[in-house]
Amino acid sequence: MMSDQHTQSVKLFFRTFENHLSRIRDDGKDANQAYRAQVLLSQIALFEKAILEDGGGGGATGDIQSFVELIDIEAFGDLAAWAVDQTAVTGIRAVHFLDQSGEWHCLAGEGILPMRLRAGEWLRSGLVAQLQQAKNMFITYLFGQPRLVLQFEEGETAVDRGKMALFFARLLPIFVTDRIGETNTYAADRAVIAKDPHFCDLLGLIEKAANKDVSILLEGESGTGKEVIANFIHRHSPRAGKPIVAVNCAAIPAGLIESELFGHEKGAFTNAYNRQIGRVEEADGGTLFLDEIGEMPFAMQAKLLRFLQLHEFHRVGGKNKISVDVRIVAATNRHLKDQVAKGEFREDLYYRLSVMPFVIPPLRERIDDIAALSEFFFDKYGRAFGFAPLKIDPAIYQHLVAYAFPGNVRELENLIQNILVIAQGGNLSVAHLPPNIRELTPVNLPERAVGSPKRVWRPRSSYGRNFKWRRGRSTAAAAAGNPELERLLSQTPKNNDELKLLKQEIQNYASDLTLLVEHRFLKDLLDRAEGSMPKASTLGNINRTLLYKMIDRTKHLDD
């Protein structure tokens, strides 16, 4: 145990160290050091606890010094070496990193990675997860791609493993700023976009089932790509040379679905002037894809069951039996077992359809696929819209993987088109994302504690990035009558550190000025609307959700 005097000395050091970090953060002389200082400040309580509980066996001074040295680290390899060297506190045995060539390397320490990296329990969606195969390993994502694996010592560690993994996740964007160029398609089929290990394993099972002539049932939420999978099954089946015919059971009126599937004879009903070949006959020799099978009327289910048993049917109004050879693939966004239990779907038909059942996971459970699909849609619609080669800010992917995508792949596809239309090609940035995604807290930045005082330092302010003077207008004219702006623009930096400091001040001033403009706008708008939010939304031509958010972020100016 530490003596009381030793304990007080350690606490005094950490208070001094904390004040030192705060000065580095707020001085703004070096943006990277300010960022690291802020991250360390968010973790310093853990470090202090680890030292105090270490027992004070003479190594405490060395451990404290190691945290001071962290401020001066310039390369990520040095950070990895530091973490392994301080394994008594960090608990890290090895640090594995995915380089630009797409190869995993052990940057520091000794350890072996599993052949397949599968995320198990997420500490923070799209950012850090515990590996499913190894509970002592945590994988970190950057810009939608897995880039870092921390391998911890077995047993207890001085610092919580999950918190240490999140600590490294916050530091990673300081040292690594680019995404990896890679192949995003499933190895066996370039028409399917798949990077997620779980989804790739599922595709492997589906590919095996496709080779055998059995019925397949695909279940999953709307927009997960069930029709894409149905086409994948057809391409990998012996029937690939024959047609695949899709029928949306939810889109056909109950009175017409039998005719649509099996066809009808001339005169079978009013306006049946000619014989009509049904979709089942069209698919002869190939695959019949029954989408939204759960919406099929109960009476029609019995007729479909009979066809599946005998592979023969009668056209509506016909007397001759017609035999066909088709493979059935059905899909639904409902839980058919629940419908069977409620008496809404025939049990015997369910078992006929689900010889090989598969559940297609939602996009929120396929984190690795979000960035890959986004790249595909950016390229596809960038070409379709006639835009020049796109330059995409990697931070866009970090925001996308933090979003839950309730509409799954279909929502992502529509979102990419929305971004391209708003940006009109060229350089795409986070500013082009919809407000509900743009205003998510970026998962790779430290969060500000609720109720904490306003800080001078701001991590990578988006206002600062976009703060520009209009062409043709002098800076003197722009600053006229504004003492604060005149003071900022009258300064001439003598070196790079002074330039960074001045730029940071201008960025902060621009951010505060923007809030003031928003506050004046809202005050005038609400006065004209007589306090009515619906009326204010209409008068200001502004979404009501965004209106509430603007009010919330400017309410401190009412004081």
Side-chain angles (χ1 to χ4, degrees), residues 370-381:
I370 293 177
L373 286 164
S374 299
E375 288 182 340
F376 171 77
F377 290 135
F378 273 130
D379 180 69
K380 174 182 176 180
Y381 291 106

Side-chain angles (χ1 to χ4, degrees), residues 209-231:
N211 288 322
K212 306 302 178 184
D213 207 17
V214 295
S215 297
I216 294 178
L217 176 64
L218 304 175
E219 293 184 290
E221 296 177 10
S222 179
T224 51
K226 295 185 289 294
E227 186 165 1
V228 173
I229 300 300
N231 282 280

Side-chain angles (χ1 to χ4, degrees), residues 6-252:
H6 195 174
T7 299
Q8 292 303 318
S9 297
V10 171
K11 288 183 176 180
L12 178 61
F13 169 81
F14 272 99
R15 297 292 76 74
T16 305
F17 185 33
E18 188 173 2
N19 291 335
H20 173 65
L21 290 174
S22 297
R23 285 196 298 274
I24 292 175
R25 178 197 65 188
D26 295 337
D27 285 349
K29 292 182 179 180
D30 186 299
N32 282 340
Q33 283 200 353
Y35 190 84
R36 294 172 202 166
Q38 171 58 24
V39 175
L40 282 173
L41 276 169
S42 67
Q43 304 290 326
I44 198 167
L46 292 173
F47 296 156
E48 181 178 359
K49 180 181 178 182
I51 296 299
L52 291 174
E53 294 180 354
D54 183 57
T61 302
D63 289 335
I64 293 171
Q65 183 60 32
S66 70
F67 298 130
V68 179
E69 292 170 359
L70 185 59
I71 287 290
D72 296 322
I73 287 177
E74 296 294 336
F76 189 72
D78 297 333
L79 178 63
W82 172 88
V84 173
D85 184 57
Q86 300 300 322
T87 187
V89 175
T90 65
I92 296 175
R93 180 200 300 174
V95 179
H96 306 271
F97 181 71
L98 186 69
D99 64 18
Q100 284 292 329
S101 66
E103 297 291 331
W104 283 97
H105 297 284
C106 187
L107 285 183
E110 296 181 358
I112 300 176
L113 281 178
M115 291 294 292
R116 301 286 296 276
L117 301 179
R118 298 181 179 181
E121 180 181 356
W122 285 96
L123 277 67
R124 187 172 298 174
S125 181
L127 184 64
V128 177
Q130 190 175 39
L131 280 187
Q132 191 178 69
Q133 310 96 310
K135 300 301 182 183
N136 67 325
M137 293 187 181
F138 290 79
I139 187 167
T140 294
Y141 284 67
L142 179 65
F143 306 138
Q145 297 175 314
R147 296 299 300 271
L148 181 71
V149 172
L150 298 181
Q151 184 173 356
F152 289 86
E153 295 284 0
E154 299 289 348
E156 296 296 323
T157 58
V159 179
D160 181 84
R161 293 173 178 175
K163 290 182 179 178
M164 182 58 68
L166 286 168
F167 169 62
F168 266 77
R170 294 186 185 103
L171 285 177
L172 188 60
I174 299 173
F175 301 96
V176 183
T177 58
D178 296 323
R179 301 185 75 249
I180 298 175
E182 55 183 335
T183 302
N184 293 324
T185 53
Y186 179 60
D189 192 324
R190 295 188 63 82
V192 176
I193 307 297
K195 291 292 293 180
D196 183 82
H198 294 275
F199 190 49
C200 287
D201 287 346
L202 177 64
L203 287 174
L205 293 175
I206 293 175
E207 188 178 352
K208 291 179 181 179
N211 288 322
K212 306 302 178 184
D213 207 17
V214 295
S215 297
I216 294 178
L217 176 64
L218 304 175
E219 293 184 290
E221 296 177 10
S222 179
T224 51
K226 295 185 289 294
E227 186 165 1
V228 173
I229 300 300
N231 282 280
F232 171 85
I233 292 169
H234 180 69
R235 286 194 301 274
H236 290 268
S237 74
R239 300 172 179 268
K242 297 291 184 176
I244 176 172
V245 177
V247 179
N248 188 330
C249 301
I252 305 172

Side-chain angles (χ1 to χ4, degrees), residues 399 403 415 418-419 422 429-442 542-550 553:
H399 280 262
Y403 181 58
L415 172 64
N418 176 281
I419 293 171
I422 291 174
S429 69
V430 173
H432 296 121
L433 292 171
N436 63 320
I437 299 178
R438 184 174 68 244
E439 295 181 5
L440 290 174
T441 300
I542 184 171
N543 180 278
R544 202 182 306 177
T545 301
L546 180 57
L547 185 60
Y548 279 114
K549 289 180 179 179
M550 289 173 66
R553 66 174 173 245

